[in-house]
Amino acid sequence: MSPQFDYVVIDGGLAGASAVETLRSEGATGSILLLSEEAQLPYQRPPLSKGFLTSEKKPTPSLIVSEAKYKELDVETSELVMFDSYTEDLSADHIVASGSLPPSFPWTTINGKHYWNGGIVSNSPLEKVVERCGSAGKRVFIIDLFPGK
């Protein structure tokens, strides 16, 4: 059965971050889920300018609310998480989580945290795989359940 949340805030920007802080400061005691299409926690969007648009240098986003603050507020987020057997022990639940796609397939709970298919963000986050492997390389297995036509 999928977890039930008392509050679901759908916004990955300043409004969503402010909403979860306000809920707690106003006394909300239930569970809160902050959902976003973004792969990271809500961050300050850089101001658009000609210099920004023509610059090769990418700005470093600054978080609106720190990761520690979300933990303190007991808010679950939709931040992208990658399971990596090099840095942690993986179980069958980790594989099941990669196929969890609500509402069709329920979320998977691992160590009290809820996970669902990252395919919503990126079916195969190859950039992160290459970044983590470095020049040494590794064997990478990608399972494509719905190959192109």
Side-chain angles (χ1 to χ4, degrees), residues 70-102:
Y70 282 115
K71 286 181 181 172
E72 177 187 323
L73 294 172
D74 193 24
V75 173
E76 220 170 301
T77 67
S78 58
E79 181 182 14
L80 178 67
V81 173
M82 290 182 54
F83 301 127
D84 185 344
S85 62
Y86 187 72
T87 60
E88 62 186 304
D89 290 330
L90 301 183
S91 68
D93 285 339
H94 292 86
I95 296 167
V96 171
S98 70
S100 298
L101 187 59

Side-chain angles (χ1 to χ4, degrees), residues 30-117:
S31 57
I32 300 175
L33 173 64
L34 177 61
L35 281 177
S36 168
E37 287 184 327
E38 300 286 343
Q40 62 273 339
L41 295 172
Y43 60 93
Q44 294 283 359
R45 279 26 177 202
L48 289 180
S49 68
K50 186 185 242 182
F52 167 75
L53 294 173
T54 59
S55 173
E56 293 291 320
K57 183 180 175 188
K58 291 185 177 182
T60 304
S62 61
L63 296 178
I64 296 170
V65 176
S66 71
E67 187 174 351
K69 182 68 172 177
Y70 282 115
K71 286 181 181 172
E72 177 187 323
L73 294 172
D74 193 24
V75 173
E76 220 170 301
T77 67
S78 58
E79 181 182 14
L80 178 67
V81 173
M82 290 182 54
F83 301 127
D84 185 344
S85 62
Y86 187 72
T87 60
E88 62 186 304
D89 290 330
L90 301 183
S91 68
D93 285 339
H94 292 86
I95 296 167
V96 171
S98 70
S100 298
L101 187 59
S104 301
F105 302 106
W107 305 8
T108 301
T109 304
I110 302 170
N111 298 326
K113 233 181 147 189
H114 310 296
Y115 295 94
W116 60 90
N117 184 357

Side-chain angles (χ1 to χ4, degrees), residues 1-4 106-107 109:
M1 182 173 162
S2 292
Q4 301 293 311
W107 305 8
T109 304

